[in-house]
Amino acid sequence: MTDGSVYEELGVPTVVNAAGTKTRIGGSRIRPEARAAMDRAAEQFVRLSDLQAAASDRIAEVTGAEAGYVANGAAGALVLGTAACIAGTDPGTMARLPDTDGVADEIVMARTHRTGYDHALRTAGATIVDVGTNDATLGTGARNVEPWEYADAIGEDTAAVAHVYKSYEGPPLAEVCDVAHDHGVPVIVDAAAELPPKSNLSWFTEQGADLVAFSGGKGIRGPQTTGILAGRADLIESVAAQHLDTHATASVWDPPGRLLDADRFDGVPRQGVGRPLKVGKEELVGLLAALDAFLDEDHEATLAEWRDRAESVAGDLDAVDGLSTTIEDGAKSVAPTVAVTVAAERAGASAADLVLALRREEPRVFVGADGVDDGTFAVSPMCLTDDEAEYVVERVRANLADESGD
Ligand SMILES: *Cc1c(COP(=O)(O)O)cnc(C)c1O
């Protein structure tokens, strides 16, 4: 199959994405508005601090937070936010991170909120302190974490409380923020994949979060290498100081005051722990354009489109011998998702064999594989066109027909 694509020129197989906004297969379909804006951004030079200041104003406007910043992903935003909570505006601590000898560096978080992404917190120098249990899985009626457990864990070494938001996972964010604030520490929220709905842009701040990280390359459909950090102006100032390329002579150091007030620093900060998380002007402008388009989008219509596509795929796959489907709504993903159960004997292949065979095709077909060892796979409508959705069904059918060996 030849499609004349840049990937073909490189000899790299393309992917039909039925797995949703997964970074490892290219994230989301970037909006045309973002691509066009990136092209225009490439035509001139601009001072990144000026651009970040403008982004801060725009992010503040749409989130209701005091300020904002564009990072190279939600994970990058978490590194920067953590660095800000640890260092504040102390240039000495900024210069020493991720070495945190002698400074409060603990991040308190519920054990059930731990994910692979908390490496981002540790990258900035934080030590994670777990609270709570996994008792909710025992069916005893006990909750995983009680507010008092946060209070108990917060002490003089605490830099922040972290909260990874999933609508099905407690405790309520507002309660967590109350406890943290009672003890004078900020709350960092990982809300990477929680857009749409648009209302979530401000919801976390309304609950009391001090910093909120969103992925720019998921529901917003901006460049893959962008993320938004929205939050308190003093923390964003620290983020800017630790992220911007600060190499400058003090006599000519003149950052935009509304982002970073040079008078509050005794001198020019050193290149910070965030400097390796660079964001280019093109990506930054692309994200802002994508954010505008995201705000203009009719999300009811988008949801209806996702639902139609999911229902159509579910109906088609239900008709395949050995497959049965249900549609899961909104808990784990912002989009309705088709959950497919594979009866291996009747289907002629296990879910794992099928998923692996699909990934080895050209183009590669990626379906959601979280439940593959339990005999299920998933189809997300988010990153498919209608034609691609039909193609996925056809390839599932073809692989099972091959396997049943007739
Ligand atoms: C996707 C995701 C991230 C990382 O987002 P990037 O924008 O790819 O850096 C972090 N946390 C959670 C919960 C996510 O789903």
Side-chain angles (χ1 to χ4, degrees):
M1 203 188 302
T2 64
D3 62 5
S5 75
V6 68
Y7 299 109
E8 188 174 80
E9 284 169 25
L10 293 167
V12 177
T14 54
V15 167
V16 175
N17 180 2
T21 53
K22 299 283 186 285
T23 297
R24 78 190 78 97
I25 49 172
S28 59
R29 217 178 277 274
I30 189 171
R31 292 176 195 273
E33 294 90 340
R35 289 169 58 177
M38 289 172 79
D39 217 33
R40 290 173 60 205
E43 288 167 8
Q44 282 153 309
F45 290 91
V46 70
R47 195 171 67 156
L48 262 300
S49 51
D50 288 334
L51 197 50
Q52 286 283 7
S56 175
D57 292 347
R58 184 71 187 123
I59 292 166
E61 218 167 78
V62 305
T63 62
E66 289 173 4
Y69 201 83
V70 178
N72 63 338
L78 293 172
V79 177
L80 298 174
T82 304
C85 291
I86 295 174
T89 45
D90 178 43
T93 304
M94 288 181 187
R96 283 186 292 275
L97 287 185
D99 180 347
T100 57
D101 278 357
V103 291
D105 69 349
E106 290 181 0
I107 304 261
V108 175
M109 68 191 292
R111 181 170 270 108
T112 47
H113 288 213
R114 295 294 301 271
T115 74
Y117 293 112
D118 53 45
H119 215 131
L121 312 178
R122 289 182 287 124
T123 298
T127 302
I128 295 175
V129 175
D130 292 318
V131 294
T133 65
N134 280 299
D135 277 5
T137 56
L138 296 177
T140 55
R143 299 201 300 179
N144 278 333
V145 59
E146 296 295 337
W148 66 261
E149 292 179 287
Y150 288 92
D152 182 59
I154 296 171
E156 58 185 27
D157 290 329
T158 308
V161 168
H163 190 92
V164 180
Y165 185 81
K166 284 287 159 196
S167 57
Y168 54 86
E169 180 64 61
L173 176 58
E175 278 181 33
V176 176
C177 292
D178 283 347
V179 177
H181 295 162
D182 282 350
H183 292 79
V185 299
V187 176
I188 306 173
V189 176
D190 177 352
E194 304 308 312
L195 298 171
K198 280 180 244 193
S199 55
N200 273 0
L201 277 170
S202 56
W203 188 83
F204 301 95
T205 301
E206 286 157 14
Q207 302 305 301
D210 299 272
L211 288 170
V212 186
F214 298 105
S215 196
K218 292 181 178 171
I220 295 173
R221 291 173 52 205
Q224 268 306 286
T225 49
T226 57
I228 290 175
L229 189 63
R232 265 170 39 195
D234 61 319
L235 294 172
I236 295 297
E237 179 175 44
S238 174
V239 163
Q242 298 186 77
H243 181 257
L244 292 169
D245 190 325
T246 47
H247 272 163
T249 303
S251 53
V252 292
W253 189 52
D254 181 34
R258 68 189 201 277
L259 181 68
L260 208 170
D261 183 357
D263 292 343
R264 302 224 288 144
F265 291 80
D266 289 336
V268 187
R270 292 282 173 206
Q271 299 281 53
V273 72
R275 175 59 183 82
L277 310 174
K278 175 162 86 175
V279 180
K281 59 190 182 305
E282 295 83 2
E283 287 78 17
L284 200 156
V285 167
L287 172 71
L288 293 181
L291 185 58
D292 280 346
F294 172 77
L295 287 164
D296 283 345
E297 193 173 88
D298 176 351
H299 284 292
E300 293 303 317
T302 306
L303 259 180
E305 181 193 316
W306 287 344
R307 170 159 296 286
D308 286 350
R309 194 172 296 136
E311 280 174 358
S312 156
V313 168
D316 290 347
L317 291 181
D318 248 337
V320 177
D321 205 23
L323 301 186
S324 57
T325 65
T326 54
I327 294 185
E328 286 179 350
D329 254 310
K332 288 189 186 153
S333 164
V334 293
T337 302
V338 186
V340 189
T341 303
V342 183
E345 296 272 290
R346 290 206 22 221
S350 68
D353 289 343
L354 175 62
V355 167
L356 194 56
L358 289 168
R359 288 186 180 189
R360 287 178 171 168
E361 294 201 336
E362 238 181 87
R364 298 184 188 279
V365 175
F366 267 73
V367 294
D370 288 357
V372 84
D373 289 335
D374 299 319
T376 69
F377 68 92
V379 175
S380 166
M382 277 183 92
C383 300
L384 292 172
T385 63
D386 286 338
D387 285 349
E388 287 170 343
E390 279 178 28
Y391 179 78
V392 171
V393 170
E394 180 211 311
R395 294 319 304 158
V396 168
R397 241 192 239 124
N399 273 281
L400 294 179
D402 285 351
E403 290 306 315
S404 57
D406 39 36

